């Protein structure tokens, strides 16, 4: 079935590249040292800023696209029974998959994401992404940040939130990429990202 | 003969009152200082011209104008004017030749002075003599070029507000490097434009507001609190990681006085910086470092085990 329209695929690919660059430059900045160089500090700052701004623009595009196309429907969920559905999917990934059980929530035109994917994507895209973008913008324009926050410098708190969320998103990405190998074949989902067919 | 106007009397009163409020323990309200400030704290001065046989009012040379309120709030506030200036200045009109007198420098009073031993004036002088300010200029470049004796107040040691210290200290540099009139006192060279010369520096505004010029332009040593060995421009710090790293040089300069508690590995590295600002790369957290490594390792391990099991069971 044709599940991934062109704009989703392009947006997803751009996000992949941006995430990788942001993680690499972010780590390089956080662990910058006189003894070794991961990426030269000046380049890392510029690249992190540029990719961050593109990610920000891409996110705004994503919000509008989800609002005005049917893709946004995939992110809607009912709270009733959510936990048991998520747990069912978790059980499948934990040991059902090894017993060759059928997926409890197979992909269909009406259900692109299983409950575990759905809840994690919603949290990532509608909670963590806004936080990391807003804190990133704060660090980009530090003059707008409060001098003091909770007894320490405002920029410190904002940066702390930025790097913690950045780390969580990096872990999400690691798991996300691994889970892409769980398809009909190991490479099936990766092919879907290119041709749009699932 | 001088004539006291009502304004001058009020001004004198305000000097006494303000000075007394500022510091109760020391002020010597020297009548002699008051006599000097009667003219030198005002934009005009009035005197009886004996040749013309009338009272005249003249404009005070702005470079000889002293803000008496600031004077009584600075390091040498207890001084009489004639402690540094010639005693002959007590008479008016002043003898023109008095302006040719050599002014004392810091070491003339502070060398071997036990009361100010903590400031290490001898080491400061040694560093100054090795700095470009001394090696590239004539003897006209003295302590007073940077430390205005009528206004200078120690800052880094006393002020808990680092941002105020930064502004205060940078203004000392800018008093020449952003003022061609003062710059030309010691050289005929063109005064380099500070903003243009730092074009290469990312986020220039943030850097200028959060570090002092001397952080990058001096060689910090252990002995003295504020480094005085200004380096040639080719030796200035240009490598970002000199500051943006765990072993940030700022700990040996800007944050030196507060650095006792730093280097505490069980928390934020260089934590003294955090009360004022945050420096990428210099303020990592020990616990977060350990925790993030642990979480990443566990997730990776689960993924590897999951993948191996999938391959084995296939």
């Amino acid at each position: 079935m044709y599940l991934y329209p062109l704009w989703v695929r392009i947006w997803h690919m751009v996000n992949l590249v941006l995430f990788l660059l942001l993680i690499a430059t972010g780590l390089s900045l956080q662990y910058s040292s006189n003894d070794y160089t991961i990426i030269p500090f000046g380049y890392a700052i510029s690249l992190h800023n540029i990719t961050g701004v593109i990610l920000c623009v891409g996110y705004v595009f994503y919000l509008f696209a989800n609002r005005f196309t049917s893709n946004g429907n995939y992110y809607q969920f009912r709270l009733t029974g959510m936990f048991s559905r998520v747990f069912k999917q978790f059980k499948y990934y934990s040991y059902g998959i090894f017993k060759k059980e059928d997926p409890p929530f197979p992909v269909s035109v009406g259900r692109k994401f299983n409950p575990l994917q759905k809840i994690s994507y919603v949290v990532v895209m509608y909670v963590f992404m806004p936080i990391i973008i807003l804190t990133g913008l704060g660090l980009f324009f530090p003059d707008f940040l409060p001098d003091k926050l909770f007894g320490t410098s405002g920029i410190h708190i904002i940066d702390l939130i930025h790097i913690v969320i950045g780390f969580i998103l990096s872990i999400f990405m690691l798991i996300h990429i691994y889970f892409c190998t769980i398809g009909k074949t190991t490479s099936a989902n990766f092919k879907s990202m290119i041709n749009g067919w699932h | 003969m001088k004539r006291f106007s009502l304004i001058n009397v009020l001004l004198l009163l305000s000097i006494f009152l303000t000075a007394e409020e500022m510091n109760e323990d020391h002020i010597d309200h020297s009548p002699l200082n008051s006599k000097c400030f009667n003219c030198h704290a005002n934009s005009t001065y009035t005197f009886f011209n004996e040749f013309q046989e009338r009272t005249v009012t003249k404009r005070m040379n702005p470079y000889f104008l002293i803000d008496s309120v600031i004077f009584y709030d600075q390091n040498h506030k207890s001084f009489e004017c004639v402690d540094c200036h010639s005693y002959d200045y007590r008479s008016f009109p002043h003898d023109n030749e008095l302006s040719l007198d050599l002014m004392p420098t810091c070491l003339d009073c502070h060398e071997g002075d036990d009361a100010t031993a903590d400031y290490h004036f001898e080491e400061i002088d040694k560093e100054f003599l090795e700095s470009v300010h001394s090696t590239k200029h004539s003897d006209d470049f003295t302590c007073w070029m940077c430390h205005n004796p009528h206004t200078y107040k120690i800052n880094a040691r006393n002020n808990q507000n680092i941002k105020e210290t930064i502004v205060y200290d940078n203004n000392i540099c800018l008093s020449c490097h952003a003022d061609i009139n003062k710059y030309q006192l010691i050289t005929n060279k063109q005064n380099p434009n500070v903003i243009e010369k730092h074009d290469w520096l990312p986020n220039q505004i943030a850097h200028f507001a959060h570090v002092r010029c001397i952080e990058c332009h001096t060689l910090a040593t252990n002995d003295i609190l504020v480094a005085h060995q200004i380096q040639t421009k080719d030796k200035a710090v240009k490598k970002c990681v000199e500051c943006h790293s765990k072993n940030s040089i700022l700990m040996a300069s800007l944050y030196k006085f507060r650095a006792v508690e730093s280097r505490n590995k069980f928390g934020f590295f260089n934590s003294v910086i955090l009360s004022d600002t945050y420096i990428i790369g210099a303020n990592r957290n020990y616990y977060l470092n350990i925790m993030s490594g642990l979480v990443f390792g566990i997730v990776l391990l689960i993924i590897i085990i999951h993948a191996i099991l999938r391959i084995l069971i296939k």
Side-chain angles (χ1 to χ4, degrees), chain B residues 139-194:
Chain B
D139 289 344
D140 289 338
F141 201 116
T142 64
C143 313
W144 305 128
M145 285 300 289
C146 302
H147 305 290
N148 185 328
H150 302 114
T151 61
Y152 182 68
K153 192 175 176 183
I154 49 167
N155 221 286
R157 198 177 288 261
N158 286 357
N159 198 340
Q160 285 301 307
N161 188 330
I162 288 276
K163 280 184 185 163
E164 282 178 12
T165 301
I166 292 165
V167 171
Y168 189 89
D169 285 359
N170 282 352
N171 278 342
I172 290 176
C173 305
L174 292 174
S175 72
C176 275
H177 288 282
D179 179 2
I180 188 69
N181 293 328
K182 192 176 168 197
Y183 191 79
Q184 283 181 336
L185 280 175
I186 48 148
T187 180
N188 291 323
K189 284 184 184 170
Q190 196 181 359
N191 198 351
N193 184 311
V194 175

Side-chain angles (χ1 to χ4, degrees), chain A residues 29-34 41 93 98 100 147-148 152-153 155-156 159-160 167 171 175 178 181-182, chain B residues 163 239-242 244-245 268 274-278 280-281 284 288-289 292 303 306-307 309-310 313:
Chain A
L29 293 173
Q30 178 68 6
Y31 294 100
S32 59
S33 170
N34 239 336
F41 196 88
Y93 282 140
F98 303 119
K100 301 204 180 295
D147 271 357
K148 295 273 178 191
T152 183
S153 77
I155 195 168
H156 173 222
D159 188 83
L160 206 55
F167 175 74
I171 294 293
I175 299 168
Y178 172 67
T181 64
I182 304 176
Chain B
K163 280 184 185 163
K239 226 171 137 191
C240 310
V241 289
E242 296 273 5
H244 290 278
S245 62
F268 288 97
L274 292 176
S275 59
D276 300 292
T277 187
Y278 173 83
I280 300 167
R284 304 168 207 163
L288 279 182
N289 280 355
S292 56
I303 287 174
H306 199 272
L309 286 175
R310 273 172 59 208
I313 293 167

Side-chain angles (χ1 to χ4, degrees), chain B residues 26-40:
Chain B
H26 83 286
I27 295 286
D28 168 25
H29 297 296
S30 165
L32 186 62
N33 280 3
S34 304
K35 205 174 166 190
C36 299
F37 282 132
N38 187 35
C39 291
H40 285 280

